[in-house]
Amino acid sequence: MRAALEALGETLLPGAKDAGLAHYIDQQLSVDPSEALLIARGVGVIPPYVNFYRAGLAALDQTSAKLHGAKFAALAPEKRSEFVEQFRQKVPEGWSGPPSPFFYFVSRADAVDVYYGTVEGFERLGIPYMPHIVPIRRW
Amino acid sequence: MANEKVDVVIVGGGASGILLAAKLGQAGKKVVILEMGPPLALDDLVSSQIWSRRLKWGGVPVVSEGKNPVAHNFQSGWGLGGAAMHQFANWPRFHPEDFRVKSQYGRGLDWPISYDDMRPYYDRIQKEVGLSGDHVAEVWRPAGDPYPMPPIRWFRQAELLAEGFRKIGMRTAPMPLAINSVSYNGRPACIYDGWCHIGCPIGALSNPIVTYLGDARHAGAEVRARSTVTRVLMNKEGTKATGVEYYDASRQRHVQPASAVVLAAWSAQNPRLLLNSATPKHAKGLANASGLVGKYMMCHFASGTWALFDEDVQNHMGTTGAQFMSYDRYPKTSHKGAFGSTFIVAGSALKTTDLGGFANARLDLYGPELHAFMKRAARGLTRVNAFGEELPNIENRVELAADKDEFGMPLGRIVHSFDEDAAGVWNANFEEGLKIAKATGAKEAWSGRGAMPTIHLMGGTIMGTTARNSVVNSYGQTHEIANLWIAGPGIFPTAGASNPTYTIFALSLRGAEQLAAKWATVV
């Protein structure tokens, strides 16, 4: 699951892997859903959230193999982007997980969270963070 | 386990529950609030979009279905203070026509009260809580006291966007906000860091914790967090509520006896509780002889237009809600062929992530293009947002699902679809939003059109004149059970297009005073 998650995160937002995407998801999936900070919680994914990620990443890999001959992480970068383009707005035939546009939305939001949703992320864009209460941990 | 009897048990520690606890406590009543979520405090309000998800629903799932399923979790609260902890503090008043949509237009429903009945409560709440705005510039504002504070200051994006409105002949006014523009009642002025939506810990934004919670505690109200109420209990004759059943954090069952029960657990949970509290004498659920418990759920929707400038628009500064607004499209027949009010806001402070953040302004972008967009957005992105009114439709409802939670209580299910009028207003607002954005001279302008969003949640236990056409009277007292009351946006029979929080506070004040004044007849 990790390979697919990181490959998808990198495709959606280069740098998400090094910004800690896998650690973020892993750590958030290990806590009680009422303590989770994932956007999945906010957009109504039914807990346990691991089911959503497992099903979505499995659908990603299965459909990738069907349409492009290999699991997502094994595809060349241009093929990965081509495949994202195929599923981000319309559910491809045979996709069996959560609806692919919704899965795109959540996966992309996770990548954006770890890369741009932290104090470091704001610095990357030159935005003053201006906290009242500084986050002592990123998540 | 049975607790000592109190005067009032309030289910839900959000905006209405906390205000009711304060006012009833000050009237000498012994009050207990039972809040399902955690005991949130100001130092939990970490300046971080990621951490702020703790402020949204963390309870048993609410099933959401229909053509336009309600985004329940995103709109809800979780913990002490409720959804008002992540409110944007846009506080316009409802307009006179919002109270009589049926009489005036032959559509929707009427409230059993008018704007004139509500006016004194709007006036008192704005003084107690503190509102900033410009009542003269707000040419559409119904009669009411001037705001106690001047409007918040503008930043560059507001100047740029206002020019667009001006060019197409639309009038604007500073946004009325429950945010201090100057120090007020011992609470500091806003410092415009744009972190409203993750919870304001400094007291500049009027959330329930910094407004009425102190009064409630001072008056002796007790708050029990992590307490999940599963049923309202009735006497054996079925004529009076006797208290509630709830489970604590270690899943121990308790009974809290009370002389009066107030349901203030928001528009989804209140109907669920009433339905789950059915008895042989109330077979359809409590207060539900009309069959209207759970019916007429309403949301607002919004049409967002993005305008990207090639200059520093200071979009990280300001307030999340808006810097200014226009009610020029509030008349319900503003858009040809579609019915419903529109409330337009502009100049929201923007952050990077989450539903309202830069990254979602161009959901089609990913990869290196997304990085490039984020850089341009950080400098020059602005938004105009038009909120629209949904009419009450009896098919939009909360009902009990087949699945049960760990306490054996059926889950709530919300079924919701927008009708053609709502879709018509939504589309018209995108068209007009683009006109405004192009008139600003922005480098790029586009519509933020995804699925039709569901914003706020009203209805489900509507007020009305009789037990046949409604669940409660205008004070929130159920028609059928004198000592069972309901508070919050669930009692609205129409939604207008204005944010509901100000009206929630005003209605709750009115209801609390009535309950205290009529105590002897109620209990």
PDB file of all heavy atoms in Angstrom, chain A residues 12 14 37 41-42 81 85 104 108 113 116 129-130 132-133 137, chain B residues 47 51 53 56 73-74 193 195 352 359 362-363 365-367 371:
ATOM      1  N   LEU A  12       0.758  13.562  -7.772  1.00  0.00           N
ATOM      2  CA  LEU A  12      -0.182  14.662  -7.557  1.00  0.00           C
ATOM      3  C   LEU A  12       0.537  15.923  -7.098  1.00  0.00           C
ATOM      4  O   LEU A  12       0.143  17.040  -7.455  1.00  0.00           O
ATOM      5  CB  LEU A  12      -1.255  14.251  -6.545  1.00  0.00           C
ATOM      6  CG  LEU A  12      -2.142  13.085  -6.997  1.00  0.00           C
ATOM      7  CD1 LEU A  12      -3.155  12.724  -5.912  1.00  0.00           C
ATOM      8  CD2 LEU A  12      -2.867  13.404  -8.301  1.00  0.00           C
ATOM      9  N   PRO A  14       4.682  16.706  -6.484  1.00  0.00           N
ATOM     10  CA  PRO A  14       6.082  16.304  -6.267  1.00  0.00           C
ATOM     11  C   PRO A  14       6.621  16.893  -4.969  1.00  0.00           C
ATOM     12  O   PRO A  14       6.427  18.081  -4.693  1.00  0.00           O
ATOM     13  CB  PRO A  14       6.791  16.893  -7.485  1.00  0.00           C
ATOM     14  CG  PRO A  14       5.728  17.023  -8.529  1.00  0.00           C
ATOM     15  CD  PRO A  14       4.461  17.332  -7.794  1.00  0.00           C
ATOM     16  N   LEU A  37      -6.828  13.496  12.056  1.00  0.00           N
ATOM     17  CA  LEU A  37      -6.761  14.841  11.486  1.00  0.00           C
ATOM     18  C   LEU A  37      -6.895  14.810   9.963  1.00  0.00           C
ATOM     19  O   LEU A  37      -6.712  15.820   9.307  1.00  0.00           O
ATOM     20  CB  LEU A  37      -5.415  15.491  11.862  1.00  0.00           C
ATOM     21  CG  LEU A  37      -5.092  15.514  13.356  1.00  0.00           C
ATOM     22  CD1 LEU A  37      -3.730  16.150  13.589  1.00  0.00           C
ATOM     23  CD2 LEU A  37      -6.167  16.260  14.141  1.00  0.00           C
ATOM     24  N   ARG A  41     -11.836  12.541   7.329  1.00  0.00           N
ATOM     25  CA  ARG A  41     -12.797  12.722   8.417  1.00  0.00           C
ATOM     26  C   ARG A  41     -13.762  13.848   8.087  1.00  0.00           C
ATOM     27  O   ARG A  41     -14.968  13.740   8.264  1.00  0.00           O
ATOM     28  CB  ARG A  41     -12.031  13.034   9.696  1.00  0.00           C
ATOM     29  CG  ARG A  41     -12.888  13.539  10.841  1.00  0.00           C
ATOM     30  CD  ARG A  41     -12.031  13.838  12.047  1.00  0.00           C
ATOM     31  NE  ARG A  41     -12.818  14.395  13.137  1.00  0.00           N
ATOM     32  CZ  ARG A  41     -12.384  14.523  14.377  1.00  0.00           C
ATOM     33  NH1 ARG A  41     -11.170  14.104  14.701  1.00  0.00           N
ATOM     34  NH2 ARG A  41     -13.139  15.069  15.303  1.00  0.00           N
ATOM     35  N   GLY A  42     -13.207  14.950   7.619  1.00  0.00           N
ATOM     36  CA  GLY A  42     -14.021  16.130   7.360  1.00  0.00           C
ATOM     37  C   GLY A  42     -14.983  15.957   6.199  1.00  0.00           C
ATOM     38  O   GLY A  42     -16.027  16.596   6.165  1.00  0.00           O
ATOM     39  N   SER A  81       0.829  10.158 -14.910  1.00  0.00           N
ATOM     40  CA  SER A  81       0.011  11.365 -15.131  1.00  0.00           C
ATOM     41  C   SER A  81      -1.126  11.072 -16.098  1.00  0.00           C
ATOM     42  O   SER A  81      -2.253  11.540 -15.909  1.00  0.00           O
ATOM     43  CB  SER A  81       0.860  12.491 -15.698  1.00  0.00           C
ATOM     44  OG  SER A  81       1.832  12.863 -14.753  1.00  0.00           O
ATOM     45  N   GLU A  85      -5.151  11.464 -15.223  1.00  0.00           N
ATOM     46  CA  GLU A  85      -6.057  12.196 -16.091  1.00  0.00           C
ATOM     47  C   GLU A  85      -7.280  11.344 -16.435  1.00  0.00           C
ATOM     48  O   GLU A  85      -8.374  11.859 -16.605  1.00  0.00           O
ATOM     49  CB  GLU A  85      -5.296  12.610 -17.354  1.00  0.00           C
ATOM     50  CG  GLU A  85      -5.685  13.914 -17.996  1.00  0.00           C
ATOM     51  CD  GLU A  85      -5.975  15.048 -17.057  1.00  0.00           C
ATOM     52  OE1 GLU A  85      -5.215  15.285 -16.084  1.00  0.00           O
ATOM     53  OE2 GLU A  85      -6.999  15.726 -17.274  1.00  0.00           O
ATOM     54  N   TYR A 104      -9.328  10.783  -5.896  1.00  0.00           N
ATOM     55  CA  TYR A 104      -8.369  11.796  -6.378  1.00  0.00           C
ATOM     56  C   TYR A 104      -8.388  13.009  -5.442  1.00  0.00           C
ATOM     57  O   TYR A 104      -7.348  13.508  -5.023  1.00  0.00           O
ATOM     58  CB  TYR A 104      -8.751  12.208  -7.801  1.00  0.00           C
ATOM     59  CG  TYR A 104      -8.077  13.464  -8.333  1.00  0.00           C
ATOM     60  CD1 TYR A 104      -6.791  13.425  -8.878  1.00  0.00           C
ATOM     61  CD2 TYR A 104      -8.747  14.692  -8.309  1.00  0.00           C
ATOM     62  CE1 TYR A 104      -6.182  14.572  -9.378  1.00  0.00           C
ATOM     63  CE2 TYR A 104      -8.134  15.845  -8.809  1.00  0.00           C
ATOM     64  CZ  TYR A 104      -6.868  15.776  -9.344  1.00  0.00           C
ATOM     65  OH  TYR A 104      -6.269  16.930  -9.841  1.00  0.00           O
ATOM     66  N   ARG A 108      -5.135  13.912  -3.238  1.00  0.00           N
ATOM     67  CA  ARG A 108      -4.494  15.194  -3.569  1.00  0.00           C
ATOM     68  C   ARG A 108      -4.481  16.108  -2.349  1.00  0.00           C
ATOM     69  O   ARG A 108      -3.471  16.760  -2.053  1.00  0.00           O
ATOM     70  CB  ARG A 108      -5.259  15.822  -4.729  1.00  0.00           C
ATOM     71  CG  ARG A 108      -4.744  17.137  -5.266  1.00  0.00           C
ATOM     72  CD  ARG A 108      -5.660  17.540  -6.427  1.00  0.00           C
ATOM     73  NE  ARG A 108      -5.363  18.848  -6.972  1.00  0.00           N
ATOM     74  CZ  ARG A 108      -5.766  20.001  -6.449  1.00  0.00           C
ATOM     75  NH1 ARG A 108      -6.433  20.015  -5.321  1.00  0.00           N
ATOM     76  NH2 ARG A 108      -5.480  21.144  -7.041  1.00  0.00           N
ATOM     77  N   ASP A 113      -1.781  18.788   2.084  1.00  0.00           N
ATOM     78  CA  ASP A 113      -1.683  18.971   3.541  1.00  0.00           C
ATOM     79  C   ASP A 113      -0.244  18.828   4.006  1.00  0.00           C
ATOM     80  O   ASP A 113       0.267  19.679   4.748  1.00  0.00           O
ATOM     81  CB  ASP A 113      -2.538  17.919   4.275  1.00  0.00           C
ATOM     82  CG  ASP A 113      -3.972  18.372   4.518  1.00  0.00           C
ATOM     83  OD1 ASP A 113      -4.229  19.587   4.453  1.00  0.00           O
ATOM     84  OD2 ASP A 113      -4.824  17.493   4.777  1.00  0.00           O
ATOM     85  N   TYR A 116       2.039  21.668   1.909  1.00  0.00           N
ATOM     86  CA  TYR A 116       1.733  23.093   2.058  1.00  0.00           C
ATOM     87  C   TYR A 116       0.932  23.435   3.305  1.00  0.00           C
ATOM     88  O   TYR A 116       0.641  24.603   3.545  1.00  0.00           O
ATOM     89  CB  TYR A 116       0.945  23.581   0.831  1.00  0.00           C
ATOM     90  CG  TYR A 116       1.790  23.790  -0.399  1.00  0.00           C
ATOM     91  CD1 TYR A 116       1.516  23.093  -1.575  1.00  0.00           C
ATOM     92  CD2 TYR A 116       2.853  24.690  -0.399  1.00  0.00           C
ATOM     93  CE1 TYR A 116       2.284  23.293  -2.730  1.00  0.00           C
ATOM     94  CE2 TYR A 116       3.621  24.896  -1.542  1.00  0.00           C
ATOM     95  CZ  TYR A 116       3.334  24.191  -2.694  1.00  0.00           C
ATOM     96  OH  TYR A 116       4.086  24.382  -3.818  1.00  0.00           O
ATOM     97  N   TYR A 129       3.167  32.929   8.541  1.00  0.00           N
ATOM     98  CA  TYR A 129       2.281  31.940   9.155  1.00  0.00           C
ATOM     99  C   TYR A 129       1.328  32.575  10.171  1.00  0.00           C
ATOM    100  O   TYR A 129       0.167  32.224  10.242  1.00  0.00           O
ATOM    101  CB  TYR A 129       3.105  30.815   9.802  1.00  0.00           C
ATOM    102  CG  TYR A 129       2.288  29.569  10.066  1.00  0.00           C
ATOM    103  CD1 TYR A 129       2.009  28.669   9.037  1.00  0.00           C
ATOM    104  CD2 TYR A 129       1.780  29.294  11.337  1.00  0.00           C
ATOM    105  CE1 TYR A 129       1.238  27.527   9.263  1.00  0.00           C
ATOM    106  CE2 TYR A 129       1.012  28.152  11.566  1.00  0.00           C
ATOM    107  CZ  TYR A 129       0.748  27.282  10.531  1.00  0.00           C
ATOM    108  OH  TYR A 129      -0.034  26.152  10.754  1.00  0.00           O
ATOM    109  N   MET A 130       1.817  33.507  10.928  1.00  0.00           N
ATOM    110  CA  MET A 130       1.013  34.289  11.874  1.00  0.00           C
ATOM    111  C   MET A 130       0.182  33.426  12.823  1.00  0.00           C
ATOM    112  O   MET A 130      -1.028  33.626  12.931  1.00  0.00           O
ATOM    113  CB  MET A 130       0.074  35.247  11.127  1.00  0.00           C
ATOM    114  CG  MET A 130       0.799  36.244  10.247  1.00  0.00           C
ATOM    115  SD  MET A 130      -0.336  37.454   9.503  1.00  0.00           S
ATOM    116  CE  MET A 130      -1.355  36.388   8.497  1.00  0.00           C
ATOM    117  N   HIS A 132      -1.602  31.994  16.221  1.00  0.00           N
ATOM    118  CA  HIS A 132      -1.910  32.334  17.618  1.00  0.00           C
ATOM    119  C   HIS A 132      -1.266  31.259  18.490  1.00  0.00           C
ATOM    120  O   HIS A 132      -0.588  31.549  19.456  1.00  0.00           O
ATOM    121  CB  HIS A 132      -3.416  32.315  17.878  1.00  0.00           C
ATOM    122  CG  HIS A 132      -4.151  33.365  17.135  1.00  0.00           C
ATOM    123  ND1 HIS A 132      -4.009  34.711  17.381  1.00  0.00           N
ATOM    124  CD2 HIS A 132      -5.052  33.279  16.143  1.00  0.00           C
ATOM    125  CE1 HIS A 132      -4.782  35.398  16.576  1.00  0.00           C
ATOM    126  NE2 HIS A 132      -5.430  34.554  15.811  1.00  0.00           N
ATOM    127  N   ILE A 133      -1.566  30.011  18.137  1.00  0.00           N
ATOM    128  CA  ILE A 133      -0.989  28.878  18.861  1.00  0.00           C
ATOM    129  C   ILE A 133      -0.195  28.077  17.826  1.00  0.00           C
ATOM    130  O   ILE A 133      -0.764  27.541  16.876  1.00  0.00           O
ATOM    131  CB  ILE A 133      -2.076  28.010  19.505  1.00  0.00           C
ATOM    132  CG1 ILE A 133      -2.861  28.836  20.522  1.00  0.00           C
ATOM    133  CG2 ILE A 133      -1.459  26.777  20.168  1.00  0.00           C
ATOM    134  CD1 ILE A 133      -4.014  28.101  21.208  1.00  0.00           C
ATOM    135  N   ARG A 137       3.566  20.021  16.764  1.00  0.00           N
ATOM    136  CA  ARG A 137       3.859  18.919  15.833  1.00  0.00           C
ATOM    137  C   ARG A 137       3.103  19.234  14.545  1.00  0.00           C
ATOM    138  O   ARG A 137       2.050  19.876  14.593  1.00  0.00           O
ATOM    139  CB  ARG A 137       3.354  17.582  16.396  1.00  0.00           C
ATOM    140  CG  ARG A 137       4.057  17.118  17.644  1.00  0.00           C
ATOM    141  CD  ARG A 137       3.814  15.620  17.938  1.00  0.00           C
ATOM    142  NE  ARG A 137       2.494  15.143  17.640  1.00  0.00           N
ATOM    143  CZ  ARG A 137       1.481  15.069  18.518  1.00  0.00           C
ATOM    144  NH1 ARG A 137       1.642  15.503  19.753  1.00  0.00           N
ATOM    145  NH2 ARG A 137       0.310  14.586  18.159  1.00  0.00           N
TER     146      ARG A 137
ATOM    147  N   SER B  47      -3.233  26.916  15.470  1.00  0.00           N
ATOM    148  CA  SER B  47      -3.290  27.583  14.161  1.00  0.00           C
ATOM    149  C   SER B  47      -2.772  26.639  13.090  1.00  0.00           C
ATOM    150  O   SER B  47      -1.600  26.669  12.711  1.00  0.00           O
ATOM    151  CB  SER B  47      -2.475  28.881  14.194  1.00  0.00           C
ATOM    152  OG  SER B  47      -2.978  29.743  15.197  1.00  0.00           O
ATOM    153  N   TRP B  51      -4.699  20.441  12.206  1.00  0.00           N
ATOM    154  CA  TRP B  51      -5.179  20.244  13.575  1.00  0.00           C
ATOM    155  C   TRP B  51      -6.644  20.630  13.735  1.00  0.00           C
ATOM    156  O   TRP B  51      -7.353  20.099  14.586  1.00  0.00           O
ATOM    157  CB  TRP B  51      -4.308  21.031  14.567  1.00  0.00           C
ATOM    158  CG  TRP B  51      -2.994  20.353  14.815  1.00  0.00           C
ATOM    159  CD1 TRP B  51      -1.789  20.643  14.241  1.00  0.00           C
ATOM    160  CD2 TRP B  51      -2.759  19.244  15.688  1.00  0.00           C
ATOM    161  NE1 TRP B  51      -0.827  19.785  14.696  1.00  0.00           N
ATOM    162  CE2 TRP B  51      -1.380  18.916  15.595  1.00  0.00           C
ATOM    163  CE3 TRP B  51      -3.571  18.484  16.544  1.00  0.00           C
ATOM    164  CZ2 TRP B  51      -0.804  17.877  16.317  1.00  0.00           C
ATOM    165  CZ3 TRP B  51      -2.993  17.442  17.273  1.00  0.00           C
ATOM    166  CH2 TRP B  51      -1.628  17.149  17.152  1.00  0.00           C
ATOM    167  N   ARG B  53      -9.130  19.874  12.152  1.00  0.00           N
ATOM    168  CA  ARG B  53     -10.138  18.834  11.866  1.00  0.00           C
ATOM    169  C   ARG B  53     -10.689  18.220  13.146  1.00  0.00           C
ATOM    170  O   ARG B  53     -11.717  17.546  13.120  1.00  0.00           O
ATOM    171  CB  ARG B  53      -9.573  17.790  10.917  1.00  0.00           C
ATOM    172  CG  ARG B  53      -9.433  18.482   9.544  1.00  0.00           C
ATOM    173  CD  ARG B  53      -8.686  17.802   8.529  1.00  0.00           C
ATOM    174  NE  ARG B  53      -8.315  18.745   7.477  1.00  0.00           N
ATOM    175  CZ  ARG B  53      -7.220  18.621   6.757  1.00  0.00           C
ATOM    176  NH1 ARG B  53      -6.385  17.617   6.983  1.00  0.00           N
ATOM    177  NH2 ARG B  53      -6.953  19.505   5.819  1.00  0.00           N
ATOM    178  N   LYS B  56     -14.356  19.119  13.911  1.00  0.00           N
ATOM    179  CA  LYS B  56     -15.455  18.606  13.105  1.00  0.00           C
ATOM    180  C   LYS B  56     -15.860  17.223  13.606  1.00  0.00           C
ATOM    181  O   LYS B  56     -15.105  16.552  14.290  1.00  0.00           O
ATOM    182  CB  LYS B  56     -15.026  18.511  11.621  1.00  0.00           C
ATOM    183  CG  LYS B  56     -14.423  19.798  11.053  1.00  0.00           C
ATOM    184  CD  LYS B  56     -15.446  20.748  10.540  1.00  0.00           C
ATOM    185  CE  LYS B  56     -14.902  22.106  10.152  1.00  0.00           C
ATOM    186  NZ  LYS B  56     -14.778  22.293   8.726  1.00  0.00           N
ATOM    187  N   ASN B  73     -20.236  16.118   8.216  1.00  0.00           N
ATOM    188  CA  ASN B  73     -19.054  16.242   9.082  1.00  0.00           C
ATOM    189  C   ASN B  73     -18.399  17.607   8.956  1.00  0.00           C
ATOM    190  O   ASN B  73     -17.976  18.190   9.954  1.00  0.00           O
ATOM    191  CB  ASN B  73     -18.026  15.155   8.751  1.00  0.00           C
ATOM    192  CG  ASN B  73     -18.515  13.775   9.141  1.00  0.00           C
ATOM    193  OD1 ASN B  73     -19.692  13.589   9.466  1.00  0.00           O
ATOM    194  ND2 ASN B  73     -17.622  12.802   9.103  1.00  0.00           N
ATOM    195  N   PHE B  74     -18.290  18.108   7.739  1.00  0.00           N
ATOM    196  CA  PHE B  74     -17.588  19.373   7.525  1.00  0.00           C
ATOM    197  C   PHE B  74     -18.352  20.540   8.153  1.00  0.00           C
ATOM    198  O   PHE B  74     -17.762  21.499   8.623  1.00  0.00           O
ATOM    199  CB  PHE B  74     -17.392  19.622   6.029  1.00  0.00           C
ATOM    200  CG  PHE B  74     -16.407  20.721   5.749  1.00  0.00           C
ATOM    201  CD1 PHE B  74     -15.051  20.472   5.839  1.00  0.00           C
ATOM    202  CD2 PHE B  74     -16.840  21.990   5.422  1.00  0.00           C
ATOM    203  CE1 PHE B  74     -14.133  21.481   5.604  1.00  0.00           C
ATOM    204  CE2 PHE B  74     -15.923  23.008   5.176  1.00  0.00           C
ATOM    205  CZ  PHE B  74     -14.578  22.751   5.275  1.00  0.00           C
ATOM    206  N   ASP B 193      -5.200  37.755  11.124  1.00  0.00           N
ATOM    207  CA  ASP B 193      -4.290  36.712  10.643  1.00  0.00           C
ATOM    208  C   ASP B 193      -5.005  35.657   9.795  1.00  0.00           C
ATOM    209  O   ASP B 193      -4.392  34.727   9.325  1.00  0.00           O
ATOM    210  CB  ASP B 193      -3.644  36.012  11.839  1.00  0.00           C
ATOM    211  CG  ASP B 193      -4.668  35.655  12.860  1.00  0.00           C
ATOM    212  OD1 ASP B 193      -5.534  34.794  12.570  1.00  0.00           O
ATOM    213  OD2 ASP B 193      -4.648  36.235  13.950  1.00  0.00           O
ATOM    214  N   TRP B 195      -7.030  33.237  10.532  1.00  0.00           N
ATOM    215  CA  TRP B 195      -7.159  31.900  11.095  1.00  0.00           C
ATOM    216  C   TRP B 195      -8.512  31.673  11.780  1.00  0.00           C
ATOM    217  O   TRP B 195      -8.650  30.802  12.629  1.00  0.00           O
ATOM    218  CB  TRP B 195      -6.048  31.621  12.110  1.00  0.00           C
ATOM    219  CG  TRP B 195      -4.692  31.318  11.547  1.00  0.00           C
ATOM    220  CD1 TRP B 195      -3.564  32.069  11.725  1.00  0.00           C
ATOM    221  CD2 TRP B 195      -4.297  30.178  10.768  1.00  0.00           C
ATOM    222  NE1 TRP B 195      -2.498  31.475  11.105  1.00  0.00           N
ATOM    223  CE2 TRP B 195      -2.910  30.309  10.505  1.00  0.00           C
ATOM    224  CE3 TRP B 195      -4.962  29.057  10.253  1.00  0.00           C
ATOM    225  CZ2 TRP B 195      -2.187  29.378   9.755  1.00  0.00           C
ATOM    226  CZ3 TRP B 195      -4.241  28.117   9.510  1.00  0.00           C
ATOM    227  CH2 TRP B 195      -2.873  28.287   9.267  1.00  0.00           C
ATOM    228  N   THR B 352      -3.689  27.765   2.524  1.00  0.00           N
ATOM    229  CA  THR B 352      -3.225  26.922   1.428  1.00  0.00           C
ATOM    230  C   THR B 352      -4.077  25.692   1.158  1.00  0.00           C
ATOM    231  O   THR B 352      -4.211  25.266   0.011  1.00  0.00           O
ATOM    232  CB  THR B 352      -1.795  26.446   1.725  1.00  0.00           C
ATOM    233  OG1 THR B 352      -1.794  25.824   3.028  1.00  0.00           O
ATOM    234  CG2 THR B 352      -0.818  27.606   1.724  1.00  0.00           C
ATOM    235  N   ALA B 359      -5.382  25.396  -3.001  1.00  0.00           N
ATOM    236  CA  ALA B 359      -5.188  24.190  -3.811  1.00  0.00           C
ATOM    237  C   ALA B 359      -6.484  23.725  -4.447  1.00  0.00           C
ATOM    238  O   ALA B 359      -6.481  23.123  -5.517  1.00  0.00           O
ATOM    239  CB  ALA B 359      -4.572  23.074  -2.975  1.00  0.00           C
ATOM    240  N   ARG B 362      -8.140  25.262  -8.087  1.00  0.00           N
ATOM    241  CA  ARG B 362      -7.911  24.616  -9.387  1.00  0.00           C
ATOM    242  C   ARG B 362      -7.752  23.124  -9.123  1.00  0.00           C
ATOM    243  O   ARG B 362      -6.646  22.576  -9.153  1.00  0.00           O
ATOM    244  CB  ARG B 362      -6.672  25.188 -10.074  1.00  0.00           C
ATOM    245  CG  ARG B 362      -6.838  26.586 -10.630  1.00  0.00           C
ATOM    246  CD  ARG B 362      -7.792  26.654 -11.805  1.00  0.00           C
ATOM    247  NE  ARG B 362      -7.413  25.745 -12.880  1.00  0.00           N
ATOM    248  CZ  ARG B 362      -6.536  26.030 -13.850  1.00  0.00           C
ATOM    249  NH1 ARG B 362      -5.956  27.220 -13.895  1.00  0.00           N
ATOM    250  NH2 ARG B 362      -6.252  25.134 -14.774  1.00  0.00           N
ATOM    251  N   LEU B 363      -8.883  22.456  -8.920  1.00  0.00           N
ATOM    252  CA  LEU B 363      -8.862  21.022  -8.608  1.00  0.00           C
ATOM    253  C   LEU B 363      -8.352  20.194  -9.789  1.00  0.00           C
ATOM    254  O   LEU B 363      -7.913  19.060  -9.631  1.00  0.00           O
ATOM    255  CB  LEU B 363     -10.279  20.591  -8.213  1.00  0.00           C
ATOM    256  CG  LEU B 363     -10.485  19.229  -7.589  1.00  0.00           C
ATOM    257  CD1 LEU B 363      -9.545  18.985  -6.427  1.00  0.00           C
ATOM    258  CD2 LEU B 363     -11.931  19.102  -7.100  1.00  0.00           C
ATOM    259  N   LEU B 365      -5.682  20.816 -11.404  1.00  0.00           N
ATOM    260  CA  LEU B 365      -4.209  20.854 -11.484  1.00  0.00           C
ATOM    261  C   LEU B 365      -3.567  19.900 -10.496  1.00  0.00           C
ATOM    262  O   LEU B 365      -4.017  19.754  -9.356  1.00  0.00           O
ATOM    263  CB  LEU B 365      -3.698  22.270 -11.198  1.00  0.00           C
ATOM    264  CG  LEU B 365      -4.092  23.354 -12.187  1.00  0.00           C
ATOM    265  CD1 LEU B 365      -3.516  24.699 -11.740  1.00  0.00           C
ATOM    266  CD2 LEU B 365      -3.631  23.024 -13.601  1.00  0.00           C
ATOM    267  N   TYR B 366      -2.504  19.261 -10.924  1.00  0.00           N
ATOM    268  CA  TYR B 366      -1.699  18.409 -10.050  1.00  0.00           C
ATOM    269  C   TYR B 366      -0.298  18.373 -10.631  1.00  0.00           C
ATOM    270  O   TYR B 366      -0.061  18.880 -11.741  1.00  0.00           O
ATOM    271  CB  TYR B 366      -2.305  17.001  -9.924  1.00  0.00           C
ATOM    272  CG  TYR B 366      -2.485  16.278 -11.223  1.00  0.00           C
ATOM    273  CD1 TYR B 366      -1.494  15.450 -11.742  1.00  0.00           C
ATOM    274  CD2 TYR B 366      -3.650  16.458 -11.966  1.00  0.00           C
ATOM    275  CE1 TYR B 366      -1.662  14.823 -12.957  1.00  0.00           C
ATOM    276  CE2 TYR B 366      -3.825  15.830 -13.179  1.00  0.00           C
ATOM    277  CZ  TYR B 366      -2.832  15.005 -13.665  1.00  0.00           C
ATOM    278  OH  TYR B 366      -2.998  14.375 -14.881  1.00  0.00           O
ATOM    279  N   GLY B 367       0.627  17.810  -9.890  1.00  0.00           N
ATOM    280  CA  GLY B 367       2.011  17.749 -10.382  1.00  0.00           C
ATOM    281  C   GLY B 367       2.664  19.116 -10.344  1.00  0.00           C
ATOM    282  O   GLY B 367       2.277  19.991  -9.572  1.00  0.00           O
ATOM    283  N   HIS B 371       2.155  23.081  -8.177  1.00  0.00           N
ATOM    284  CA  HIS B 371       3.149  23.902  -7.474  1.00  0.00           C
ATOM    285  C   HIS B 371       3.187  25.311  -8.051  1.00  0.00           C
ATOM    286  O   HIS B 371       3.213  26.302  -7.320  1.00  0.00           O
ATOM    287  CB  HIS B 371       4.547  23.283  -7.596  1.00  0.00           C
ATOM    288  CG  HIS B 371       4.807  22.167  -6.641  1.00  0.00           C
ATOM    289  ND1 HIS B 371       4.629  22.281  -5.284  1.00  0.00           N
ATOM    290  CD2 HIS B 371       5.264  20.894  -6.858  1.00  0.00           C
ATOM    291  CE1 HIS B 371       4.943  21.131  -4.695  1.00  0.00           C
ATOM    292  NE2 HIS B 371       5.322  20.268  -5.620  1.00  0.00           N
TER     293      HIS B 371
END
